[in-house]
Amino acid sequence: MVLVPGGTGRVGSERFYPEERPVREVEVADLWLDLHPVTNAQFARFVEDTGHVTVAEVTPDAADFPGADPALLVPGSQVFTPTPGPVPLTDWTRWWRWQPDASWRAPQGPGSSWQETPDHPVVHVGWEDASAYAAWAGKELVGEALWEYAARGGLPDAEFAWGDGQPEQLPANTWQGRFPWQDDDPRGHRRTSPVGSYPANGFGLLDMIGNVWEWTRTDWTPSHAEAPADDAPEAAHACCGGSVREVRETDRKVTKGGSHLCSPEYCLRYRPAARQGHGVRDTTSHLGFRCARPA
């Protein structure tokens, strides 16, 4: 873990997407944050020790999906699949497919294995899975404000984790080329990449931007107009708070950091201020997590 020194920071941005507004100031305490996202090998040790079964490995409850095709109510997850050529960027179903039996064990579905990529971030994990891992490890999921503060790496006013502007070759695993069909990543990373493949930020943290989106414990709000209770100053000083609680299928949490699928022409969200709301049991091949502990 890396000790992130506390201080005063700003959350949000006025320059990009409406959900990032308004910018607000936060006070955060020192905290320990995982050096990198939890990897497949780390998650495998957790499963071996606890017998945990992830959301993607459980048959969905038909009551949660009224009118759904029964043939689709099977264990599985959403897997990114490049298109053969240009497509309208308004229809995400063009490049996401529901893959039966895809899970952290088989990231691309049957025939694939986490053992092929032990040092890549674990994916296809729901919020409850991430919370269970954190509890097992004696840690917590971090709140959005603390996550963003850490991702900025000591550059509170910069738009990107490395400063302002975008170099020709970004120091993060993001989409290079024309999304979602032409991937020209010069490093050859077509999906996730081994943790630590790119430089650390100013606090020494790896993969805070790109590679995979990361769960936080913060409930989703459509803007920063009203700070969630768990990101209030007193909660921020408490670091993380209780991650493990009962959630409903319709609950959404804030995810941060962008992923290897973020592209300037489609999703300019490989920035500390970027945020998305994600259903707690909506597992995908580009969403993982890391844990924190109060200093």
Side-chain angles (χ1 to χ4, degrees), residues 147-172:
W147 195 102
E148 184 169 331
Y149 174 86
R152 291 183 179 278
L155 300 175
D157 297 313
E159 293 294 349
F160 297 92
W162 48 82
D164 291 317
Q166 300 186 69
E168 184 175 348
Q169 186 170 333
L170 298 183

Side-chain angles (χ1 to χ4, degrees), residues 18 24 30 48 50 97 106 110 129 158 165 170 184 189 204 213 254 258 283 287:
R24 59 187 177 90
D30 295 354
E48 181 179 8
T50 64
R97 75 175 191 275
D129 302 323
L170 298 183
D184 297 328
H189 296 145
W213 284 94
V254 174
T283 60
L287 173 58

Side-chain angles (χ1 to χ4, degrees), residues 56 76-80 92 96-98 102-104 107 121-126 192 212-213 215 259-261 278-279 281-288:
S77 190
Q78 295 282 351
V79 175
F80 172 76
W92 61 268
W96 284 104
R97 75 175 191 275
W98 172 254
S103 71
W104 77 272
V122 66
V123 291
H124 300 300
V125 288
T192 57
V212 294
W213 284 94
W215 286 112
S259 80
H260 59 282
L261 301 181
H278 203 90
R281 295 176 185 153
D282 295 341
T283 60
T284 72
S285 61
H286 75 332
L287 173 58

